[in-house]
Amino acid sequence: MGYSTIDSAASAGFAASGAGSTKYDPTYDPLVSPGPGHGKDYAPTYWVATAGSPPPDDGPVTKDLDVDVAIIGAGYTGLATALCLAREHGIKAVVLEANRTSWGCSSRNGGQGQNASGRLSRSQWIERWGKDVALKMHDEIQQGFDHFKELVAEIDCDPQPGGHFLIAHRPRIMAKLAAEAKVWKDVFGYPSELLSAQTFRREFIDDHEAAGALHEPEGIGVHALKLAFGYLRLARAAGATVHTSSPVMGWETINGVHHLRTPGGVVRARAVGIATGAYTAQTLHPTLRSKVMPILSNSMVTRVLTPAEIAACNFRTTQVLTDTRTLRFYYRFLPDGRLQIGSRSAITGADAPNPRHLDLLKEGMARKFPALRGVEIDYSWWGWVDVSHDMMPRVCQPDPRQSVFYALGYGGNGVSYSQQAGRRLAERIAGKGAQHALPIFTTPLPGHPFAPFRRIGQRMLYLQYFRHDEKP
Ligand SMILES: Cc1cc2nc3c(=O)[nH]c(=O)nc-3n(C[C@H](O)[C@H](O)[C@H](O)COP(=O)(O)OP(=O)(O)OC[C@H]3O[C@@H](n4cnc5c(N)ncnc54)[C@H](O)[C@@H]3O)c2cc1C
């Protein structure tokens, strides 16, 4: 049985949005656009400006191809999947990327590699799945983080190791952090240290909002795009092919073979791995319609700070930091003396360039670091985060009758886990990995009964989160 997943009108729109112009489109919105474009420029991120020239890739698809495995999307997930397929299963996959290597989230994030995935805490795993499954989940995430550390050691990506601070943004949060630390220790044997506001602000960073902090030993900051370029180099050296400027604009399945239509030719694949993150068009494949909620996140990087500013903020650590807001701030003192900080952004792509979102972020920075009020911002950008409707990712084959697999839904925690998701996706594509029976592997992404109205709900939730977050 065959089906066409992108109708001709949408496909024409896709081509129109891509053809002719490679200019970055700041208003791109995955819920509205038929696709992420065709050969588009990178977002104007600090990482793009400082990563150096992109390593060679295999250029656009220029003719019809027959392949065993096609991966859609060349972010961390797609590249890690191709790398593991080649290194661990002897399968030389073909990666199809609409724009440039890691054009999506993987060139826009905060570079915070955390020992986490999805948006739920370890105690929430216990509530959702019970202790046994939560323990297995912890092992999976920890194993992923260990692999991540191995890759970071192999790739030149300016690592800033040492751990992760979770900063209580209000005194009332300290009791919650203490309870979480106890669960980490008692249930998972995962050590951490609770620090008072005075100790944290004196010894690490003088964040004026900090009411204390929880330090976990795992956590590494990386240069987001140097990491992606490293994955690209390793994947191609292992035998993968990476075609950029090759958006999948149409998809038909004929006698079990997937015909992926790109501008330069049709790629016929026996199996397809979808690694398109929040940049997944509604029309890409029926199994994914309304399964991922794309949420915008804003990020900015200051100019190089003066010694006096650094002293005033007491930047004594380069470890990665997030605060405990639901609409959280994440930040880090970068190796070249700048501050990177990010948080929530607009709801729609059309509203993303509105300066009020950047102003909110600047105000958040100034609350934390009054000495930086008014400091010049050298880089600011935004990107879409793939949040699943139950806040946890999935790496799965949604229909066992179809050779279609995906790894999606990391909820803003994908820098480290995406490579483990790629490893698990590769196993599944290679017909292995059945022993890993966690719910994130055995169930597909859940839908949402009110999917068409999700953005109205998101507006209400943001208001609710804001009120809750800012309560004394
Ligand atoms: C501003 C921001 C800050 C973040 N900060 C952090 C952080 O500090 N720590 C953390 O853990 N996570 C963070 N994240 C999340 C993290 O970046 C992602 O989880 C991770 O990069 C996802 O990688 P991916 O490969 O799955 O998706 P992406 O990197 O988004 O790659 C998907 C790719 O698929 C391509 N694509 C889509 N459709 C098609 C098609 N039809 N044909 C061909 N190609 C297609 C896109 O062009 C894109 O390049 C952040 C995200 C954002 C936006």
Side-chain angles (χ1 to χ4, degrees):
M1 192 187 68
Y3 55 81
S4 181
T5 57
I6 301 183
D7 64 31
S8 51
S11 167
F14 197 124
S17 73
S21 164
T22 58
K23 210 165 157 260
Y24 168 65
D25 174 10
T27 62
Y28 163 77
D29 186 330
L31 284 191
V32 175
S33 169
H38 175 191
K40 293 278 181 201
D41 287 339
Y42 284 115
T45 77
Y46 167 77
W47 313 118
V48 170
T50 56
S53 301
D57 56 51
D58 295 282
V61 171
T62 53
K63 59 177 191 304
D64 292 356
L65 299 172
D66 287 292
V67 307
D68 287 330
V69 177
I71 306 293
I72 310 177
Y76 299 145
T77 305
L79 295 172
T81 307
L83 175 62
C84 289
L85 277 169
R87 271 192 180 172
E88 290 164 27
H89 306 286
I91 297 172
K92 294 179 176 172
V94 168
V95 183
L96 303 172
E97 165 56 49
N99 298 301
R100 293 160 198 247
T101 300
S102 294
W103 172 89
C105 266
S106 302
S107 55
R108 309 180 194 211
N109 58 69
Q112 298 206 0
Q114 294 184 21
N115 193 16
S117 181
R119 297 194 74 81
L120 299 187
S121 64
R122 281 170 172 73
S123 51
Q124 287 171 318
W125 297 347
I126 299 175
E127 280 164 33
R128 177 168 297 178
W129 297 310
K131 200 166 133 186
D132 288 351
V133 172
L135 278 167
K136 291 194 183 109
M137 185 71 194
H138 175 76
D139 287 347
E140 166 68 11
I141 301 291
Q142 181 67 60
Q143 211 188 94
F145 198 75
D146 291 341
H147 283 136
F148 175 70
K149 284 191 280 194
E150 285 164 24
L151 281 169
V152 167
E154 211 179 323
I155 294 168
D156 173 17
C157 61
D158 308 340
Q160 292 181 301
H164 165 234
F165 288 99
L166 185 55
I167 302 163
H169 72 286
R170 293 284 183 269
R172 64 183 159 84
I173 308 289
M174 279 305 276
K176 285 190 187 159
L177 287 190
E180 189 69 22
K182 185 165 162 37
V183 171
W184 286 4
K185 178 167 165 286
D186 294 351
V187 179
F188 300 100
Y190 184 50
S192 62
E193 192 183 356
L194 204 61
L195 303 166
S196 69
Q198 292 81 350
T199 307
F200 175 70
R201 291 178 61 175
R202 189 184 60 236
E203 304 288 330
F204 297 100
I205 279 190
D206 191 10
D207 177 338
H208 282 224
E209 287 188 322
L214 180 62
H215 181 256
E216 60 178 314
E218 300 285 29
I220 306 182
V222 291
H223 187 297
L225 193 53
K226 286 188 185 174
L227 180 73
F229 286 168
Y231 285 2
L232 172 70
R233 282 194 190 93
L234 294 177
R236 288 186 77 239
T241 305
V242 181
H243 289 296
T244 47
S245 288
S246 301
V248 172
M249 300 161 61
W251 182 335
E252 269 191 295
T253 306
I254 304 167
N255 297 329
V257 177
H258 304 283
H259 294 231
L260 307 176
R261 186 161 52 80
T262 76
V266 174
V267 178
R268 290 179 290 262
R270 307 222 150 262
V272 178
I274 302 174
T276 45
Y279 294 81
T280 309
Q282 287 292 302
T283 45
L284 181 66
H285 193 275
T287 195
L288 284 173
R289 183 180 277 275
S290 299
K291 296 290 167 51
V292 169
M293 180 67 185
I295 304 275
L296 269 175
S297 178
N298 245 358
S299 182
M300 65 183 191
V301 171
T302 65
R303 63 155 164 71
V304 175
L305 301 176
T306 64
E309 287 161 345
I310 294 169
C313 301
N314 199 28
F315 287 143
R316 295 162 71 95
T317 182
T318 54
Q319 294 179 47
V320 298
L321 308 100
T322 48
D323 75 15
T324 46
R325 289 178 166 87
T326 308
L327 301 172
R328 69 187 174 199
F329 284 80
Y330 51 95
Y331 66 90
R332 170 160 60 115
F333 186 54
L334 294 171
D336 62 356
R338 302 166 186 267
L339 181 73
Q340 179 279 323
I341 183 163
S343 188
R344 60 152 289 190
S345 180
I347 304 244
T348 64
D351 187 39
N354 187 326
R356 78 194 159 97
H357 304 296
L358 182 59
D359 288 346
L360 268 179
L361 187 52
K362 287 181 185 166
E363 186 51 38
M365 176 179 75
R367 273 198 316 261
K368 289 178 181 298
F369 305 111
L372 300 187
R373 183 174 288 282
V375 76
E376 292 84 357
I377 304 302
D378 277 356
Y379 304 91
S380 107
W381 68 91
W382 47 89
W384 294 93
V385 173
D386 53 331
V387 180
S388 75
H389 291 302
D390 69 357
M391 303 294 152
M392 290 305 285
R394 294 297 190 285
V395 184
C396 68
Q397 180 181 14
D399 179 349
R401 293 164 304 176
Q402 284 185 44
S403 50
V404 176
F405 306 78
Y406 60 70
L408 294 162
Y410 313 135
N413 263 325
V415 167
S416 68
Y417 189 69
S418 50
Q419 61 71 41
Q420 177 75 351
R423 177 178 305 274
R424 296 299 183 220
L425 190 62
E427 282 174 355
R428 275 169 163 67
I429 292 171
K432 298 172 192 158
Q435 73 277 18
H436 305 298
L438 286 166
I440 60 167
F441 303 133
T442 55
T443 60
L445 282 166
H448 193 289
F450 302 113
F453 311 107
R454 282 177 297 176
R455 286 210 161 141
I456 299 172
Q458 190 188 353
R459 272 178 216 286
M460 293 189 311
L461 273 178
Y462 271 23
L463 262 179
Q464 205 178 308
Y465 291 153
F466 180 78
R467 282 195 199 115
H468 178 260
D469 281 346
E470 303 311 327
K471 211 167 56 185

